[in-house]
Amino acid sequence: MIASLYTRVVLIFLSSVIGGTVIGFFVATWIFEEQLNENLQITLLDFGQDVAQLYETLPVEDATTLVAGMKQLNSYHIRIYEETGELQSFGSYDEDSISIVTREEVKEVLAGELVQVPTNGINPIRLAMPLNTETGTKAMFVESVSPSSSSFLVKWIFYFLAFSLISGSVFVLVAALFLVRPIKKLTEATRRIAGGDFDVKLTIKQKGELGTLARSFEEMMRDLQQLEQMRKEFVSNVSHEVQSPLTSISGYAAALKQVDLDPNDRNRYVDVIIAEAGRMSKMSGSLLKLSLLESESQQLRMTTLGLDEQIRRVIVAIQPQWSARTIGFELDLREVEITADHELLNQVWMNLLGNSIKFSEENSVIGVSIKQDSENITVRISDTGIGISPEDQKRIFERFFKADRSHSKYEGSGMGLAIVKQIVMLHQGEIRVESELNRGTTFIVTLPIGTVSSNAET
């Protein structure tokens, strides 16, 4: 089996061109063979009739003298047979190339028949005709001893095609190098990427299919590089988030082994262990939830619900959070209905409103509004909290990312907004953020009125 693409391209091309040329040559020869022979027969017949006319109009001796001096004898050979079998020959010839005349053929000609016999394909033919002289009927055989113009034309075409194939093959060899070279570069780049090296630069400038393939490969390479970076960050973040509560649990569990430990300290250590275990449980639950949302197995349970009523219920459910900090709400909730997964959408408002409460100052106001057009519903949740920097806004929806990492007083795993974005995307909507540092943040959720998902349950 031929492994090299270059070799296969060259061999396939050469086989196709050579095979097609050879077949075309023989087919054309076979089609026009009869016409080529007819042209040759006409020329030979005209010469034979001229010779016969000489013998018919002149005495035999004079006619023989004229025929013996003809310049055409350089191209033709003449044999004249008497009834007695005596042979008279005109012109030079090669014994290996001249055809053999049988006795039966002589008899046929003496009987008055005109005989034309092709000797080999479109090569010279032999013409036999009766020769009427003053001394009686004779059999004349005329045969071409030099290549005909038709035969020369066939040879010329053959050599022309042969040299054309040779020169064309050289060009194909060179062209195939340029054709295969970018594919070799792509192959080498694939090997490096498979080995974990994403710093690969392709210098492929061709247009057309290869250029498109190269650009697609570069885009895929950048995506893989980003994915690998995200994977590393994910592993690092998970390790960090898990390590912190594990360290606390381990340390306080070891402290509980002290025999003379004060009961109040013991209870405090137990509370810390319970809190850290709950934190780990919540984080693993968030990871599991996000993994389920990102998988194709997630089923949306679509129902028609009043979106304004749902948001009001969520605000009531989290009242302990905002009432403890004396935070108020400014609502502009018009009555709208939407077809969506009630449970998942409820989690979106829980997360967004919870974030707004967490990052807002005491005695502040959070604004929630709903607007509707012919196709979409837009929900805006605005606070006057610490805000988000432009750099952090680009990554705010990544898992484990915390825009508030410099503020130790804000707890959280950094998974909430990643879950929110995935839920919104499952509903074929979009979410974006508008924020300024120390001036507040607004989350804008846009959802189609009649959300229909390909994996929704009916």
Side-chain angles (χ1 to χ4, degrees):
M1 183 178 179
I2 302 174
S4 171
L5 177 62
Y6 173 75
T7 305
R8 279 186 285 174
V9 169
V10 172
L11 289 180
I12 290 174
F13 177 84
L14 292 180
S15 300
S16 301
V17 173
I18 293 175
T21 302
V22 172
I23 293 174
F25 175 79
F26 283 107
V27 170
T29 302
W30 174 70
I31 293 175
F32 293 101
E33 178 181 356
E34 185 176 350
Q35 296 181 13
L36 292 173
N37 280 326
E38 287 179 357
N39 293 334
L40 183 58
Q41 289 173 11
I42 292 173
T43 304
L44 198 61
L45 181 60
D46 290 343
F47 177 69
Q49 289 176 344
D50 290 340
V51 173
Q53 188 174 6
L54 290 177
Y55 276 95
E56 291 176 359
T57 58
L58 297 175
V60 175
E61 292 79 3
D62 294 340
T64 300
T65 301
L66 288 175
V67 171
M70 286 182 172
K71 293 294 184 180
Q72 287 92 332
L73 293 179
N74 293 327
S75 301
Y76 300 100
H77 179 257
I78 300 175
R79 283 174 286 182
I80 299 177
Y81 289 87
E82 303 282 351
E83 291 183 359
T84 59
E86 183 180 353
L87 171 63
Q88 189 176 17
S89 179
F90 299 91
S92 60
Y93 63 92
D94 184 359
E95 293 183 357
D96 295 331
S97 62
I98 202 71
S99 62
I100 300 175
V101 177
T102 63
R103 184 62 184 171
E104 287 73 16
E105 290 176 333
V106 173
K107 289 181 179 181
E108 290 180 7
V109 177
L110 290 175
E113 295 185 13
L114 179 67
V115 181
Q116 298 178 359
V117 182
T119 57
N120 183 15
I122 60 172
N123 285 335
I125 66 172
R126 185 178 66 202
L127 173 67
M129 60 188 304
L131 192 64
N132 299 317
T133 68
E134 59 182 8
T135 59
T137 302
K138 302 178 182 181
M140 180 177 66
F141 290 81
V142 182
E143 186 172 349
S144 177
V145 295
S146 64
S148 66
S149 59
S150 300
S151 180
F152 170 78
L153 179 61
V154 170
K155 289 182 179 180
W156 182 87
I157 294 175
F158 175 79
Y159 283 106
F160 171 77
L161 293 177
F163 285 112
S164 297
L165 286 175
I166 293 173
S167 58
S169 300
V170 173
F171 285 113
V172 169
L173 293 175
V174 176
L177 284 175
F178 289 97
L179 176 66
V180 175
R181 184 178 298 172
I183 299 179
K184 288 184 176 179
K185 289 183 179 180
L186 289 172
T187 303
E188 180 60 27
T190 303
R191 291 197 186 99
R192 292 178 60 182
I193 291 175
D197 180 11
F198 295 96
D199 190 18
V200 181
K201 294 183 179 179
L202 296 175
T203 56
I204 300 175
K205 300 180 180 179
Q206 280 94 335
K207 297 181 180 180
E209 289 81 0
L210 283 176
T212 302
L213 176 62
R215 288 189 294 273
S216 300
F217 187 89
E218 290 174 342
E219 292 177 1
M220 179 197 70
M221 188 166 52
R222 286 192 294 269
D223 292 341
L224 287 176
Q225 191 171 16
Q226 293 177 358
L227 185 62
E228 176 64 13
Q229 183 63 29
M230 291 174 61
R231 184 191 67 81
K232 292 179 179 178
E233 292 180 359
F234 176 75
V235 173
S236 175
N237 289 331
V238 170
S239 300
H240 178 269
E241 295 292 337
V242 171
Q243 187 63 34
S244 179
L246 282 178
T247 301
S248 297
I249 291 172
S250 177
Y252 283 107
L256 287 174
K257 297 178 66 176
Q258 300 178 16
V259 178
D260 56 346
L261 186 64
D262 184 85
N264 292 329
D265 290 337
R266 185 182 300 276
N267 291 333
R268 183 166 58 86
Y269 294 168
V270 170
D271 290 339
V272 171
I273 292 174
I274 293 173
E276 292 299 313
R279 177 182 168 191
M280 288 186 62
S281 176
K282 183 178 180 181
M283 183 178 63
S284 67
S286 296
L287 279 172
L288 182 62
K289 182 68 174 179
L290 185 58
S291 176
L292 181 63
L293 290 172
E294 291 177 345
S295 69
E296 295 181 357
S297 61
Q298 175 65 39
Q299 299 289 327
L300 297 183
R301 296 174 174 85
M302 309 299 283
T303 57
T304 301
L305 54 94
L307 185 59
D308 57 310
E309 182 62 25
Q310 184 186 45
I311 293 177
R312 286 190 178 92
R313 289 178 181 273
V314 171
I315 294 175
V316 172
I318 61 175
Q319 181 178 358
Q321 299 179 34
W322 53 266
S323 61
R325 302 183 60 197
T326 322
I327 294 176
F329 283 87
E330 183 177 315
L331 304 180
D332 181 14
L333 305 178
R334 59 176 298 179
E335 293 186 11
V336 294
E337 288 189 344
I338 186 172
T339 301
D341 187 306
H342 178 84
E343 182 179 349
L344 290 180
L345 213 54
N346 199 70
Q347 190 168 353
V348 170
W349 314 130
M350 280 282 190
N351 274 283
L352 293 180
L353 291 170
N355 277 348
S356 294
I357 294 171
K358 181 168 63 174
F359 295 112
S360 292
E361 299 292 337
E362 292 186 1
N363 301 313
S364 62
V365 176
I366 296 175
V368 184
S369 66
I370 298 178
K371 291 185 178 181
Q372 179 182 358
D373 56 28
S374 59
E375 296 180 354
N376 299 310
I377 297 174
T378 301
V379 179
R380 299 174 66 94
I381 300 176
S382 304
D383 62 61
T384 56
I386 62 175
I388 307 171
S389 67
E391 294 77 15
D392 289 342
Q393 290 180 37
K394 299 176 182 178
R395 303 185 57 193
I396 194 68
F397 296 106
E398 295 180 11
R399 63 183 74 188
F400 292 113
F401 182 79
K402 297 180 183 179
D404 60 300
R405 53 188 177 276
S406 61
H407 300 78
S408 58
K409 66 177 181 179
Y410 299 117
E411 297 181 356
S413 63
M415 300 288 292
L417 290 180
I419 293 175
V420 166
K421 182 176 182 180
Q422 193 62 36
I423 293 175
V424 173
M425 289 175 60
L426 282 174
H427 285 81
Q428 300 178 9
E430 63 175 15
I431 181 172
R432 66 183 191 275
V433 62
E434 295 176 354
S435 181
E436 293 184 27
L437 284 176
N438 302 317
R439 299 192 64 177
T441 300
T442 300
F443 284 96
I444 305 167
V445 179
T446 303
L447 297 169
I449 294 176
T451 302
V452 179
S453 178
S454 59
N455 59 351
E457 287 186 351
T458 57

